[in-house]
Amino acid sequence: MRISYTEGVLRVEDICFDPQLILIDSAQVFHWRQEGGLFLGVVGGRNVSLRKEEGGFSLFGAMEKDIPFWRKYFDLDRDYDHLAAVCKDYPMAKQAIEMLPGMHVLNQPAWETLISFILSANNNVLRIRGLVAKLIDACGEQGAFPSPEQLAGVPEEKLRAIGCGYRAPYLIDTAKKVRDGFPLEALREEEYEEAHRMLLMLPGVGDKVADCVQLFGLGHSQAFPVDVWVERLMRKWFMPNAGGKKEIRRRAYEMFGVHAGLVQQSLFHCARLGLISLDDDE
DNA sequence: AACCAGGGTGAGC
DNA sequence: GCTCACCATGGT
């Protein structure tokens, strides 16, 4: 991997990185949009556009001082080739990894991840993307996520009007807790179990949402979110008589260790797209 | 017209 | 600790 920077353009070369898969299709982030072959995003207030190149990508509108930020955000320094070896004892997992070259797990701002995945509860990817767009449009500034202060001051009716439904009070109450000092960013330095326990104190955050925030927003690569797709897949391939989601989560960590979450992202995507059958009658 | 979607909450046990 | 009904919304 090589990084260079000239006049607002960050170029990343010699890397296996699939923007369509990572930013749009794999449902780990919901605010990137496509326009004329470009991917447009506002990340932590940084407005950029990304273009896929042969063997890498270019990021336009990036500031030089943000090079370390983008390096971390796109997870450029991780060796994703090593991930298949983590799965060597589980051929189906290894296969899922190898079916999706160019997958990365982003390191997003925790606040944006938290709000996005509170909205994701009992919802589908298309509608989550629409809700996030409307939330940014109605409550944020200049295409950026509304801050905790801003969101805490939004009337519940306004959020219901854009389609948030029963999640509206969750968003507002969580925003108030973060505004009033909940140490969200500090959880980045906390251990997985303790951070998980802390996140559960926020309204609208249960085990699954907490794991998503930890994996996508706090750099906790061991977090293994168990949604309906991952549950089906784990039962079908690895643990047909598992009890509940809690057991699946625990045993996934025993299987894949500290990189469990990275494996999960490829498992999830393969299952959701039907790249490997999950049917019972075989 | 039921069923589904990157589930969470509160009540009852 | 566990299960269960209920929760908005839009698509199939």
Side-chain angles (χ1 to χ4, degrees), chain A residues 109-112 114-115 135 139-140 144-154 159 170-182 184-185 202:
Chain A
W111 167 248
E112 302 181 3
L114 175 61
I115 294 308
L135 179 71
C139 307
F145 262 79
S147 64
E149 293 78 11
Q150 290 173 321
L151 191 53
V154 173
L159 295 182
Y170 297 161
L171 291 179
I172 295 169
D173 292 341
T174 283
K176 286 177 179 173
K177 291 205 172 191
V178 174
R179 178 197 62 186
D180 296 339
F182 182 90
L184 183 58
E185 278 298 332
L202 298 172

Side-chain angles (χ1 to χ4, degrees), chain A residues 11-279:
Chain A
R11 293 192 193 285
V12 181
E13 303 169 272
D14 192 21
I15 188 173
C16 185
F17 186 97
D18 184 342
Q20 177 73 37
L21 175 63
I22 296 164
L23 301 175
I24 307 294
D25 295 335
S26 73
Q28 55 179 305
V29 62
F30 301 99
H31 69 270
W32 285 84
R33 55 194 180 90
Q34 292 177 273
E35 202 171 285
L38 289 177
F39 299 88
L40 309 180
V42 183
V43 183
R46 303 163 179 83
N47 198 323
V48 292
S49 57
L50 183 151
R51 187 176 70 200
K52 179 171 174 51
E53 311 283 5
E54 190 67 28
F57 64 90
S58 298
L59 191 69
F60 302 91
M63 291 189 285
E64 186 163 20
K65 69 176 178 61
D66 284 336
I67 293 177
F69 173 87
W70 293 116
R71 197 169 177 133
K72 183 65 178 173
Y73 180 80
F74 292 115
D75 207 22
L76 300 179
D77 292 306
R78 189 185 303 278
D79 174 20
Y80 278 84
D81 292 334
H82 172 263
L83 212 50
V86 171
C87 306
K88 61 178 168 53
D89 294 332
Y90 307 97
M92 296 301 283
K94 187 165 182 287
Q95 186 178 341
I97 298 285
E98 291 171 343
M99 285 179 75
L100 300 171
M103 176 70 87
H104 275 210
V105 172
L106 299 174
N107 289 292
Q108 306 175 48
W111 167 248
E112 302 181 3
T113 316
L114 175 61
I115 294 308
S116 296
F117 280 93
I118 287 177
L119 283 172
S120 80
N122 198 23
N123 223 333
N124 61 64
V125 173
L126 216 60
R127 222 173 78 81
I128 299 164
R129 188 171 284 113
L131 278 179
V132 168
K134 280 189 277 190
L135 179 71
I136 289 172
D137 187 53
C139 307
E141 287 175 1
Q142 317 213 322
F145 262 79
S147 64
E149 293 78 11
Q150 290 173 321
L151 191 53
V154 173
E156 180 179 331
E157 278 314 310
K158 185 171 180 178
L159 295 182
R160 287 189 179 271
I162 63 177
C164 291
Y166 60 84
R167 306 169 193 83
Y170 297 161
L171 291 179
I172 295 169
D173 292 341
T174 283
K176 286 177 179 173
K177 291 205 172 191
V178 174
R179 178 197 62 186
D180 296 339
F182 182 90
L184 183 58
E185 278 298 332
L187 296 184
R188 198 176 293 275
E189 312 305 324
E190 197 54 74
E191 291 200 352
Y192 168 78
E193 293 291 350
E194 173 63 10
H196 195 83
R197 197 183 63 76
M198 292 281 288
L199 286 167
L200 293 186
M201 301 194 306
L202 298 172
V205 179
D207 282 328
K208 194 272 178 183
V209 170
D211 277 330
C212 285
V213 174
Q214 294 185 259
L215 178 59
F216 303 130
L218 291 171
H220 296 176
S221 60
Q222 78 174 76
F224 192 90
V226 181
D227 75 317
V228 293
W229 293 104
V230 172
E231 179 174 8
R232 288 172 194 154
L233 167 160
M234 293 298 284
R235 290 184 188 282
K236 166 94 178 164
W237 296 350
F238 307 115
M239 42 188 85
N241 42 17
K245 295 182 177 181
K246 270 218 165 74
E247 181 182 344
I248 295 175
R249 191 165 53 120
R250 180 180 54 78
R251 291 175 62 178
Y253 178 66
E254 293 171 3
M255 292 168 66
F256 306 119
V258 294
H259 299 107
L262 307 177
V263 177
Q264 181 271 173
Q265 192 55 22
S266 289
L267 293 177
F268 164 77
H269 198 255
C270 278
R272 194 165 79 92
L273 271 57
L275 295 183
I276 302 179
S277 174
L278 291 177
D279 295 339

